[in-house]
Amino acid sequence: MKLNKFFFGLLMTPAVMMVGCGDYEDTEVASPEADADAIGAYFESSAVSEQLSPGQTSFKIVLNRASFSEAVNVPVKATDPDNFFSLSDNQFMFDAEKQVSSPITVTFNQSVVELQKTYSLKLQVADGVKDHLYGAGYTDATYSMVIDYAWKSDSLASTMVKDEYAGTFDKEGALAAVEIAKDFEVDEEKPSPDYTKNSLVRISSFFATIGKSKAAGEDHIQFVVDKDHKNPQFLTTEYLDNKEISLKVNTTELETGMSQKFAEEKEYPIYMDLVSIAVDETANAAAATTDNVTYQVTYNLYAFDKETKKKYQLSAKDDTVPVEGKAQYKAKFEVKFVKASAE
C-alpha cells in the first residue's frame, strides 16, 4: 500500500504542475492617463518667505502647471479672513505653451505694516484638490512677508555691553554682536559704505544677545547716527515718514524673551520700552580713535499682563505680590566703526 501511494503521488505531480502553469496569463497593464482637460496647477512650495526692503510696497507671485499646451486662466482665492493683502487679479493667466503663469502683484495695507513683523497670506487654487495624476507641488501655499533692512554683522566689531539690569554696568560686561544696515540710505552712485551719510546700527534681541534671556525677543536696539557717528536717535516711525517711507517702527512694548513669576503661580512676559540714547562723551574723550564711539541707552522694563494691560515692577523673588509700575535701567556699549571700503 505504501508503494502504491508513492507511485500514485508521482503520477499526480505533473498533472498538478500543468494546471498551475495553465493559470498564468501574460498581461500588459497600461499606465493611467490624466484627463484631457486636467491643468495640474500648483505652487512650487507650500511655504514661501518674502523679505522686502523698506520702501517696497509689493511683491509678485506665480503659479505653475503640469499641462501647458493651451492658454488658460486659473482662479485663486485667499483662504484666511485677513484683508491685509490685496491681489492685482483673482486668477493666474497662462499663455499657450507656457508652464509658468504671468505674475500676480500682491500689495498690502501700508498704514499698519510694521518693520520686522511677519505677515502671512494663504492662497489656494483648484479648491485644494489636484486634478492631474502627475501634478507636482501644492494647491495651497502660505506667503510670509517681512519688511526689514539687510543687516551685516561682519562690518562692525563685537562690543562689550555693560548693563544695569544684567548687573554688569560697573563690570566687564557681556560680549555682543553689533550690526549695520548695509542698504540704509544708500547712494545709488556710491553703493559702497562711506561716512557722508547716516548709518543705521543695532544690537538684535538685546537680552538674548547679552545672555540674560534664553529666547530671542523683539527688543532690538536700533538707532541712526550721522556721518560723524554722533547725534544718535532711535529708528522711529517719524524718522521713516520724513524719508517718505510709510512704515511703523515699534520702540515700546518690545518682548524680551524673559518672564517674571509672581505669587499664586502668575507669570507674565517682560517687556521693554526704549526711552533715550546718547553719546557717552566721557568715554569718547578717552577713546584712542574717533572711529570708536560709546553710546548709552536708557530703557524701562516691566512685567506685562496682556489681558488687563497692566504693567508690574520686576522682582528678584518669584513669590512676590505684583505691584504696578516699571523700573528704568541703563546700558552702554562701544561701536567700532570700520573705515570705508569698496565691496
Side-chain angles (χ1 to χ4, degrees), residues 165 251-254 260 262 269-275 298-305 309-315 322-329:
Y165 181 70
T251 57
T252 60
E253 293 187 6
L254 301 171
Q260 171 71 66
F262 289 110
I270 296 176
Y271 279 72
M272 166 198 270
D273 290 349
L274 295 174
V275 177
T298 303
Y299 61 88
N300 292 328
L301 281 185
Y302 50 89
F304 188 54
D305 186 337
K309 303 300 181 182
K310 290 184 177 180
K311 300 177 181 181
Y312 298 112
Q313 293 181 5
L314 305 183
S315 172
V323 177
E324 287 192 51
K326 52 190 176 182
Q328 195 165 100
Y329 299 93

Side-chain angles (χ1 to χ4, degrees), residues 8 11 16 21-22 26 36 72-73 92 118 124 135 140 154-155 181 240 244 266 271 295 305:
F8 180 75
L11 292 173
V16 173
C21 291
D26 187 8
V72 68
N73 297 337
F92 287 100
T118 300
Q124 184 181 82
D140 293 74
D154 60 353
S155 62
L240 292 180
E244 298 184 349
K266 292 182 179 180
Y271 279 72
Y295 301 96
D305 186 337

Side-chain angles (χ1 to χ4, degrees), residues 262-267 318-322:
F262 289 110
E264 301 177 0
E265 298 182 353
K266 292 182 179 180
E267 184 172 358
D318 294 341
D319 59 350
T320 58
V321 176

Side-chain angles (χ1 to χ4, degrees), residues 152 154-155 190-195 197 338-343:
K152 188 174 183 181
D154 60 353
S155 62
K190 298 179 180 179
S192 61
D194 58 42
Y195 294 146
K197 61 181 184 298
V338 295
K339 296 288 187 181
S341 60
E343 291 187 335

Side-chain angles (χ1 to χ4, degrees), residues 34-194:
D35 293 339
D37 58 349
I39 300 171
Y42 67 92
F43 296 101
E44 282 194 318
S45 176
S46 61
V48 182
S49 297
E50 298 282 351
Q51 179 165 328
L52 278 61
S53 298
Q56 288 186 267
T57 59
S58 65
F59 61 92
K60 297 182 182 298
I61 57 177
V62 296
L63 191 68
N64 292 265
R65 59 175 176 167
S67 177
F68 47 91
S69 59
E70 299 179 357
V72 68
N73 297 337
V74 178
V76 60
K77 62 182 179 181
T79 58
D80 52 351
D82 191 357
N83 294 323
F84 181 82
F85 292 98
S86 298
L87 304 181
S88 62
D89 205 332
N90 60 1
Q91 56 186 354
F92 287 100
M93 300 181 182
F94 290 92
D95 293 333
E97 306 299 331
K98 296 293 183 180
Q99 184 180 6
V100 181
S101 72
S102 297
I104 286 179
T105 301
V106 180
T107 56
F108 44 86
N109 188 347
Q110 295 183 55
S111 65
V112 298
V113 69
E114 186 176 306
L115 179 74
Q116 296 160 343
K117 183 176 180 179
T118 300
Y119 299 88
S120 296
L121 168 65
K122 297 180 180 180
L123 297 176
Q124 184 181 82
V125 295
D127 292 324
V129 180
K130 291 185 177 181
D131 66 345
H132 199 290
L133 291 172
Y134 310 109
Y138 307 86
T139 56
D140 293 74
T142 299
Y143 285 80
S144 298
M145 181 202 76
V146 63
I147 300 181
D148 199 1
Y149 288 99
W151 297 95
K152 188 174 183 181
S153 59
D154 60 353
S155 62
L156 296 178
S158 298
T159 184
M160 296 301 294
V161 176
K162 298 181 179 182
D163 182 73
E164 280 187 331
Y165 181 70
T168 61
F169 195 74
D170 298 320
K171 300 177 182 177
E172 183 180 3
L175 187 65
V178 177
E179 301 174 311
I180 189 169
K182 62 181 181 181
D183 55 346
F184 181 74
E185 298 185 10
V186 174
D187 185 342
E188 296 296 338
E189 297 180 355
K190 298 179 180 179
S192 61
D194 58 42

